[in-house]
Every structure is written in structure tokens, then in C-alpha cells.
Coordinates of all heavy atoms in Angstrom, one line a residue:
M1 N 95.2 97.6 102.9 CA 96.2 96.8 102.2 C 97.5 97.5 102.3 O 98.5 96.8 102.1 CB 95.7 96.7 100.7 CG 94.5 95.8 100.5 SD 94.7 94.1 101.0 CE 95.4 93.4 99.5
G2 N 97.6 98.8 102.5 CA 98.9 99.5 102.5 C 99.8 99.1 103.7 O 101.0 99.2 103.6
T3 N 99.2 98.6 104.7 CA 100.0 98.2 105.9 C 100.4 96.7 105.9 O 101.0 96.2 106.8 CB 99.2 98.5 107.2 OG1 98.0 97.7 107.2 CG2 98.9 100.0 107.3
F4 N 100.0 96.0 104.9 CA 100.3 94.6 104.8 C 101.6 94.4 104.1 O 101.8 94.7 102.9 CB 99.2 93.9 103.9 CG 99.0 92.5 104.2 CD1 98.1 92.1 105.2 CD2 99.7 91.5 103.5 CE1 97.9 90.7 105.5 CE2 99.5 90.2 103.8 CZ 98.6 89.8 104.8
D5 N 102.6 93.8 104.9 CA 103.9 93.6 104.3 C 104.5 92.3 104.7 O 103.7 91.5 105.3 CB 104.9 94.8 104.7 CG 105.1 94.9 106.2 OD1 104.5 94.0 106.9 OD2 105.8 95.8 106.6
H6 N 105.7 92.0 104.4 CA 106.3 90.7 104.7 C 106.3 90.4 106.2 O 106.3 89.3 106.6 CB 107.7 90.7 104.1 CG 108.7 91.5 104.8 ND1 108.8 92.9 104.6 CD2 109.6 91.2 105.7 CE1 109.7 93.4 105.4 NE2 110.3 92.4 106.1
K7 N 106.4 91.4 107.0 CA 106.4 91.2 108.5 C 105.1 90.6 109.0 O 105.0 89.8 109.8 CB 106.7 92.5 109.2 CG 108.1 93.0 109.0 CD 108.3 94.4 109.6 CE 109.6 95.0 109.2 NZ 109.7 96.3 109.7
V8 N 104.0 91.0 108.3 CA 102.6 90.5 108.7 C 102.5 89.1 108.3 O 102.1 88.2 109.0 CB 101.5 91.4 108.0 CG1 100.2 90.8 108.3 CG2 101.6 92.8 108.5
V9 N 103.0 88.7 107.1 CA 103.0 87.4 106.6 C 103.8 86.5 107.5 O 103.4 85.4 107.9 CB 103.4 87.3 105.1 CG1 103.5 85.8 104.6 CG2 102.5 88.1 104.2
D10 N 105.0 86.9 107.7 CA 105.9 86.1 108.6 C 105.4 86.0 110.0 O 105.4 84.9 110.6 CB 107.3 86.8 108.6 CG 108.4 85.9 109.1 OD1 108.5 84.8 108.6 OD2 109.2 86.3 110.0
G11 N 104.8 87.0 110.5 CA 104.2 86.9 111.9 C 103.0 86.0 111.9 O 102.8 85.2 112.9
F12 N 102.2 85.9 110.8 CA 101.1 85.0 110.7 C 101.6 83.6 110.8 O 101.0 82.7 111.5 CB 100.3 85.3 109.4 CG 99.2 84.3 109.1 CD1 98.1 84.3 109.9 CD2 99.4 83.4 108.1 CE1 97.1 83.3 109.6 CE2 98.4 82.5 107.8 CZ 97.2 82.4 108.6
I13 N 102.6 83.3 110.0 CA 103.1 81.9 110.0 C 103.7 81.5 111.3 O 103.5 80.4 111.8 CB 104.2 81.7 108.9 CG1 103.5 82.0 107.5 CG2 104.9 80.4 108.9 CD1 102.4 81.0 107.1
R14 N 104.5 82.4 111.9 CA 105.1 82.2 113.2 C 104.0 82.0 114.3 O 104.2 81.2 115.2 CB 106.1 83.3 113.6 CG 107.2 83.5 112.7 CD 108.1 82.3 112.5 NE 108.7 82.4 111.2 CZ 108.7 81.6 110.2 NH1 108.1 80.4 110.3 NH2 109.3 81.8 109.1
T15 N 102.9 82.7 114.2 CA 101.8 82.6 115.2 C 101.2 81.2 115.1 O 100.9 80.6 116.1 CB 100.8 83.7 115.0 OG1 101.4 85.0 115.2 CG2 99.7 83.6 116.0
M16 N 101.0 80.8 113.8 CA 100.5 79.4 113.6 C 101.4 78.4 114.3 O 100.9 77.4 114.9 CB 100.3 79.1 112.1 CG 99.2 79.9 111.4 SD 99.1 79.4 109.7 CE 98.5 77.7 109.8
E17 N 102.7 78.6 114.1 CA 103.6 77.6 114.7 C 103.5 77.6 116.2 O 103.5 76.6 116.8 CB 105.0 78.1 114.3 CG 106.1 77.1 114.6 CD 107.5 77.6 114.1 OE1 107.5 78.1 112.9 OE2 108.4 77.6 114.9
R18 N 103.5 78.8 116.8 CA 103.4 78.9 118.3 C 102.1 78.3 118.8 O 102.0 77.8 119.9 CB 103.4 80.4 118.7 CG 104.8 80.9 119.0 CD 104.7 82.2 119.8 NE 103.8 83.2 119.2 CZ 104.0 84.1 118.3 NH1 105.2 84.1 117.7 NH2 103.1 84.9 117.9
N19 N 101.0 78.4 118.0 CA 99.7 77.9 118.4 C 99.6 76.4 118.2 O 98.5 75.8 118.4 CB 98.6 78.6 117.8 CG 98.4 80.0 118.3 OD1 98.9 80.3 119.4 ND2 97.8 80.9 117.5
G20 N 100.6 75.7 117.7 CA 100.6 74.3 117.5 C 100.1 73.8 116.2 O 99.8 72.6 116.1
A21 N 99.9 74.6 115.2 CA 99.5 74.2 113.9 C 100.6 73.3 113.3 O 101.8 73.7 113.4 CB 99.1 75.3 113.0
G22 N 100.2 72.2 112.7 CA 101.2 71.4 112.1 C 101.9 72.0 110.9 O 101.4 73.0 110.3
L23 N 103.0 71.4 110.5 CA 103.7 71.9 109.3 C 102.9 71.9 108.0 O 103.0 72.8 107.2 CB 105.1 71.2 109.2 CG 106.2 71.6 110.1 CD1 107.4 70.8 110.0 CD2 106.5 73.1 109.9
A24 N 102.1 70.8 107.9 CA 101.3 70.7 106.7 C 100.3 71.8 106.6 O 100.1 72.4 105.6 CB 100.7 69.3 106.6
T25 N 99.7 72.1 107.7 CA 98.7 73.2 107.8 C 99.4 74.6 107.6 O 98.8 75.4 106.8 CB 98.0 73.2 109.2 OG1 97.4 72.0 109.5 CG2 97.0 74.3 109.3
Q26 N 100.5 74.8 108.1 CA 101.3 76.0 107.9 C 101.6 76.2 106.4 O 101.5 77.2 105.8 CB 102.5 76.0 108.7 CG 102.3 76.1 110.2 CD 103.6 76.0 111.0 OE1 104.7 76.5 110.5 NE2 103.6 75.4 112.1
A27 N 102.1 75.1 105.8 CA 102.5 75.1 104.4 C 101.3 75.4 103.5 O 101.4 76.2 102.6 CB 103.2 73.8 104.0
N28 N 100.2 74.8 103.8 CA 98.9 75.0 103.0 C 98.5 76.4 103.2 O 98.1 77.1 102.2 CB 97.8 74.0 103.4 CG 98.1 72.6 102.9 OD1 98.8 72.4 102.0 ND2 97.5 71.6 103.6
A29 N 98.5 76.9 104.4 CA 98.0 78.3 104.6 C 99.0 79.3 103.9 O 98.5 80.3 103.3 CB 98.0 78.6 106.1
F30 N 100.3 79.0 103.9 CA 101.2 79.9 103.3 C 101.0 79.9 101.8 O 101.1 80.9 101.1 CB 102.7 79.5 103.6 CG 103.7 80.3 102.9 CD1 104.0 81.6 103.4 CD2 104.3 79.9 101.8 CE1 104.9 82.4 102.8 CE2 105.3 80.7 101.1 CZ 105.6 81.9 101.7
D31 N 100.8 78.7 101.2 CA 100.5 78.6 99.8 C 99.3 79.4 99.3 O 99.4 80.1 98.3 CB 100.4 77.1 99.3 CG 101.7 76.4 99.4 OD1 102.8 77.0 99.4 OD2 101.7 75.1 99.4
K32 N 98.3 79.3 100.1 CA 97.0 80.1 99.7 C 97.3 81.6 99.9 O 96.9 82.4 99.0 CB 95.9 79.7 100.7 CG 95.5 78.3 100.6 CD 94.8 77.9 99.3 CE 94.3 76.4 99.4 NZ 94.7 75.6 98.4
L33 N 97.9 82.0 101.0 CA 98.2 83.4 101.2 C 99.2 83.9 100.1 O 99.0 85.0 99.6 CB 98.8 83.6 102.6 CG 99.1 85.0 103.1 CD1 97.8 85.8 103.1 CD2 99.6 84.9 104.5
K34 N 100.2 83.1 99.7 CA 101.1 83.5 98.7 C 100.4 83.7 97.4 O 100.7 84.7 96.7 CB 102.1 82.3 98.5 CG 103.2 82.6 97.5 CD 104.1 81.4 97.4 CE 105.0 81.4 96.2 NZ 105.9 80.2 96.2
A35 N 99.5 82.8 97.0 CA 98.7 83.0 95.7 C 97.9 84.3 95.7 O 97.9 85.0 94.7 CB 97.8 81.8 95.5
I36 N 97.3 84.6 96.8 CA 96.5 85.8 96.9 C 97.4 87.0 96.8 O 97.1 88.0 96.1 CB 95.7 85.8 98.3 CG1 94.6 84.7 98.2 CG2 95.0 87.2 98.5 CD1 94.0 84.4 99.6
L37 N 98.5 87.0 97.6 CA 99.3 88.2 97.6 C 100.1 88.4 96.3 O 100.3 89.6 95.8 CB 100.3 88.1 98.8 CG 99.7 88.2 100.1 CD1 100.7 88.0 101.2 CD2 99.0 89.5 100.3
L38 N 100.4 87.3 95.6 CA 101.1 87.5 94.3 C 100.1 88.0 93.3 O 100.5 88.8 92.4 CB 101.7 86.2 93.9 CG 102.9 85.7 94.6 CD1 103.4 84.4 94.2 CD2 104.1 86.8 94.5
D39 N 98.8 87.6 93.3 CA 97.8 88.2 92.4 C 97.6 89.6 92.7 O 97.5 90.4 91.8 CB 96.5 87.4 92.6 CG 96.5 86.1 91.9 OD1 97.3 85.8 91.1 OD2 95.5 85.3 92.2
A40 N 97.6 90.0 94.0 CA 97.5 91.4 94.3 C 98.7 92.2 93.8 O 98.5 93.4 93.3 CB 97.3 91.6 95.8
H41 N 99.9 91.6 93.9 CA 101.1 92.3 93.4 C 101.0 92.5 91.9 O 101.3 93.5 91.4 CB 102.3 91.5 93.8 CG 103.6 92.0 93.3 ND1 104.1 93.3 93.7 CD2 104.5 91.5 92.5 CE1 105.2 93.5 93.1 NE2 105.5 92.4 92.4
R42 N 100.6 91.4 91.2 CA 100.4 91.5 89.7 C 99.4 92.6 89.3 O 99.5 93.2 88.3 CB 100.0 90.2 89.2 CG 101.2 89.2 89.0 CD 100.8 87.9 88.3 NE 101.5 86.9 88.9 CZ 101.0 85.9 89.6 NH1 99.7 85.8 89.8 NH2 101.8 85.0 90.1
L43 N 98.3 92.7 90.1 CA 97.3 93.7 89.8 C 97.7 95.1 90.2 O 97.0 96.1 89.9 CB 96.0 93.3 90.5 CG 95.3 92.1 90.1 CD1 94.2 91.7 91.0 CD2 94.8 92.3 88.6
G44 N 98.9 95.3 90.8 CA 99.4 96.6 91.1 C 99.0 97.1 92.5 O 99.2 98.3 92.8
I45 N 98.3 96.3 93.3 CA 97.9 96.7 94.6 C 99.2 97.0 95.5 O 99.2 97.9 96.3 CB 97.0 95.7 95.3 CG1 95.7 95.6 94.5 CG2 96.7 96.0 96.7 CD1 94.8 94.5 94.9
Y46 N 100.2 96.2 95.3 CA 101.5 96.4 96.0 C 102.6 96.7 95.0 O 102.7 96.1 93.9 CB 101.9 95.1 96.7 CG 100.9 94.6 97.8 CD1 100.2 93.5 97.6 CD2 100.8 95.4 98.9 CE1 99.3 93.1 98.6 CE2 99.9 95.0 99.9 CZ 99.2 93.8 99.8 OH 98.4 93.4 100.8
D47 N 103.4 97.7 95.3 CA 104.5 98.0 94.5 C 105.6 96.9 94.6 O 106.2 96.6 93.6 CB 105.1 99.4 94.9 CG 104.2 100.5 94.6 OD1 103.3 100.4 93.7 OD2 104.2 101.5 95.3
E48 N 105.8 96.5 95.8 CA 106.8 95.5 96.1 C 106.1 94.2 96.5 O 105.0 94.3 97.1 CB 107.8 95.9 97.2 CG 108.6 97.1 96.8 CD 109.5 97.6 98.0 OE1 109.7 96.8 98.9 OE2 109.9 98.7 97.9
S49 N 106.7 93.1 96.3 CA 106.1 91.8 96.7 C 106.1 91.7 98.3 O 107.1 91.9 98.9 CB 106.9 90.6 96.2 OG 106.4 89.4 96.7
P50 N 104.9 91.5 98.8 CA 104.8 91.4 100.3 C 105.4 90.1 100.8 O 105.5 89.9 102.0 CB 103.3 91.4 100.6 CG 102.6 91.2 99.3 CD 103.6 91.5 98.2
L51 N 105.9 89.2 99.9 CA 106.5 88.0 100.3 C 108.0 88.0 100.4 O 108.7 87.1 100.7 CB 106.1 86.8 99.4 CG 104.6 86.5 99.4 CD1 104.2 85.5 98.3 CD2 104.1 86.0 100.7
E52 N 108.5 89.2 99.9 CA 110.0 89.4 100.0 C 110.5 89.3 101.4 O 110.1 90.0 102.3 CB 110.3 90.8 99.4 CG 111.7 91.0 99.1 CD 112.2 90.4 97.8 OE1 111.3 90.2 96.9 OE2 113.3 90.0 97.7
G53 N 111.4 88.3 101.6 CA 112.0 88.2 102.9 C 111.3 87.2 103.8 O 111.7 87.0 105.0
V54 N 110.2 86.6 103.4 CA 109.4 85.7 104.2 C 110.0 84.3 104.0 O 110.2 83.8 102.8 CB 107.9 85.7 103.8 CG1 107.2 84.6 104.6 CG2 107.4 87.1 104.1
R55 N 110.3 83.6 105.1 CA 110.7 82.2 105.0 C 109.5 81.3 105.0 O 108.8 81.2 106.0 CB 111.6 81.8 106.2 CG 113.0 81.9 106.0 CD 113.8 81.4 107.1 NE 112.8 81.0 108.2 CZ 113.1 80.5 109.4 NH1 114.4 80.4 109.7 NH2 112.2 80.2 110.2
P56 N 109.2 80.5 103.9 CA 108.1 79.6 103.9 C 108.3 78.5 104.9 O 109.4 78.1 105.1 CB 108.0 79.2 102.5 CG 109.3 79.4 101.9 CD 109.9 80.5 102.7
P57 N 107.2 77.9 105.5 CA 107.4 76.8 106.3 C 107.9 75.6 105.5 O 107.5 75.4 104.4 CB 106.0 76.5 106.8 CG 105.1 77.5 106.2 CD 105.8 78.4 105.3
Q58 N 108.8 74.8 106.1 CA 109.4 73.7 105.5 C 108.7 72.4 105.8 O 108.9 71.9 106.9 CB 110.9 73.6 105.8 CG 111.7 74.8 105.4 CD 111.7 75.0 103.9 OE1 111.9 74.1 103.2 NE2 111.4 76.2 103.5
Y59 N 107.8 72.0 105.0 CA 107.0 70.7 105.2 C 107.7 69.6 104.4 O 107.8 69.7 103.2 CB 105.6 70.9 104.8 CG 104.8 69.6 104.9 CD1 104.7 69.0 106.1 CD2 104.1 69.1 103.8 CE1 103.9 67.8 106.2 CE2 103.4 67.9 103.9 CZ 103.3 67.3 105.1 OH 102.6 66.1 105.2
D60 N 108.2 68.6 105.1 CA 108.9 67.5 104.5 C 108.2 66.2 105.0 O 108.7 65.7 106.0 CB 110.4 67.5 104.8 CG 111.2 66.5 104.1 OD1 110.7 66.0 103.0 OD2 112.3 66.2 104.5
P61 N 107.2 65.8 104.4 CA 106.5 64.6 104.9 C 107.3 63.3 104.8 O 108.1 63.2 103.9 CB 105.3 64.5 104.0 CG 105.7 65.1 102.7 CD 106.6 66.2 103.1
R62 N 107.2 62.5 105.8 CA 107.9 61.3 105.8 C 107.2 60.3 104.9 O 106.0 60.4 104.7 CB 107.9 60.7 107.3 CG 108.8 61.5 108.2 CD 109.1 60.8 109.4 NE 110.1 61.5 110.2 CZ 109.9 62.1 111.3 NH1 108.7 62.1 111.8 NH2 110.8 62.7 111.9
R63 N 107.9 59.3 104.4 CA 107.4 58.3 103.6 C 106.4 57.5 104.3 O 106.7 57.0 105.4 CB 108.5 57.5 103.0 CG 108.0 56.6 101.9 CD 109.2 55.8 101.4 NE 108.7 54.9 100.4 CZ 109.1 55.0 99.1 NH1 110.0 55.8 98.7 NH2 108.6 54.1 98.2
A64 N 105.2 57.3 103.8 CA 104.2 56.5 104.4 C 104.5 55.0 104.1 O 104.9 54.6 103.0 CB 102.8 56.8 103.8
V65 N 104.3 54.2 105.1 CA 104.5 52.7 104.9 C 103.1 52.1 105.0 O 102.4 52.2 106.0 CB 105.4 52.2 106.0 CG1 105.5 50.7 105.9 CG2 106.7 52.8 106.0
I66 N 102.7 51.4 103.9 CA 101.4 50.7 103.8 C 101.7 49.3 104.1 O 102.4 48.6 103.4 CB 100.8 51.0 102.5 CG1 100.6 52.5 102.2 CG2 99.4 50.2 102.4 CD1 100.1 52.8 100.9
P67 N 101.1 48.7 105.1 CA 101.3 47.3 105.5 C 100.7 46.4 104.4 O 99.7 46.7 103.8 CB 100.7 47.1 106.8 CG 99.6 48.2 106.9 CD 100.1 49.3 106.1
S68 N 101.3 45.2 104.2 CA 100.8 44.2 103.3 C 99.5 43.6 103.9 O 99.3 43.7 105.1 CB 101.8 43.1 103.0 OG 102.1 42.5 104.2
P69 N 98.7 42.9 103.1 CA 97.4 42.4 103.7 C 97.6 41.4 104.8 O 96.8 41.4 105.7 CB 96.8 41.8 102.4 CG 97.4 42.4 101.3 CD 98.8 42.8 101.7
S70 N 98.7 40.6 104.8 CA 98.8 39.5 105.8 C 99.0 40.1 107.2 O 98.3 39.7 108.1 CB 99.8 38.5 105.5 OG 101.1 39.1 105.3
P71 N 99.9 41.1 107.5 CA 99.9 41.6 108.9 C 98.7 42.3 109.3 O 98.3 42.3 110.4 CB 101.1 42.6 108.8 CG 101.9 42.2 107.6 CD 100.9 41.6 106.7
T72 N 98.0 43.0 108.3 CA 96.8 43.7 108.6 C 95.7 42.7 109.0 O 95.0 42.9 110.0 CB 96.3 44.5 107.4 OG1 97.4 45.4 107.0 CG2 95.1 45.3 107.8
A73 N 95.6 41.6 108.3 CA 94.6 40.5 108.6 C 94.9 39.9 110.0 O 93.9 39.7 110.7 CB 94.6 39.5 107.5
R74 N 96.1 39.7 110.3 CA 96.5 39.1 111.6 C 96.1 40.0 112.7 O 95.6 39.6 113.8 CB 98.0 38.8 111.7 CG 98.3 37.4 111.1 CD 99.8 37.2 111.2 NE 100.4 37.9 110.1 CZ 101.7 38.1 109.9 NH1 102.5 37.6 110.7 NH2 102.1 38.8 108.9
Y75 N 96.3 41.3 112.5 CA 96.0 42.3 113.5 C 94.5 42.3 113.8 O 94.0 42.2 114.9 CB 96.4 43.7 113.1 CG 95.9 44.8 114.0 CD1 96.5 45.0 115.2 CD2 94.8 45.6 113.6 CE1 96.0 46.0 116.0 CE2 94.3 46.6 114.4 CZ 94.9 46.8 115.6 OH 94.5 47.8 116.5
W76 N 93.7 42.3 112.8 CA 92.2 42.4 112.9 C 91.7 41.0 113.4 O 90.7 41.0 114.2 CB 91.5 42.8 111.6 CG 91.7 44.2 111.3 CD1 92.5 44.8 110.3 CD2 91.2 45.3 112.1 NE1 92.5 46.1 110.4 CE2 91.7 46.5 111.5 CE3 90.4 45.4 113.2 CZ2 91.4 47.8 111.9 CZ3 90.1 46.7 113.6 CH2 90.6 47.9 113.0
C77 N 92.3 39.9 113.1 CA 91.8 38.6 113.6 C 92.2 38.4 115.1 O 91.5 37.7 115.8 CB 92.4 37.5 112.8 SG 91.8 37.4 111.1
S78 N 93.2 39.1 115.5 CA 93.6 38.9 116.9 C 92.8 39.7 117.9 O 92.9 39.5 119.1 CB 95.1 39.3 117.1 OG 95.3 40.6 116.9
R79 N 91.9 40.6 117.4 CA 91.1 41.4 118.3 C 89.9 40.8 118.6 O 89.1 40.2 118.4 CB 90.8 42.8 117.6 CG 92.1 43.5 117.4 CD 91.9 44.9 116.8 NE 92.6 45.7 117.7 CZ 92.2 46.8 118.2 NH1 91.0 47.3 117.9 NH2 92.9 47.5 119.1

């Protein structure tokens, strides 16, 4: 645990990005990792927060558009 710092966290997120993981996946993984590391910091395992200096992934979902029943029915009837 002593070698785990913000560079490791940042590298993990950047590696996910390079490997094609979506932003939602990156954000979820970061949130879980953040919770674990903050608990470890509160318990005294780390003197300094291992998240200091880490840029979290910016997940900004687009608004979903749900079609009304009539266009959906027309689509399925035309098949």
C-alpha cells in the first residue's frame, strides 16, 4: 500500500481510456476506487490522500430521447 499514490490512480484511469473503456465505465471505476482509497485514508493507511492531483474522468451523458408509441408502432409494423 505504501507505493500506491495519485500517479497509480491516474495511470489506471488513463490506461482504461487507452484500452477503449467508455467514459461511463471509467467514471464508475474511478468512483469505486475513490471510495476505497478515501476509506483507507480515513483509517490512517495513507498520510496523504492518494487522490490528490488526480483528474476524474468527465462523464457527461447525453439526454436520452424516448420515442412516442406511434413512431415505434410504425417501425415494428413495417418490418
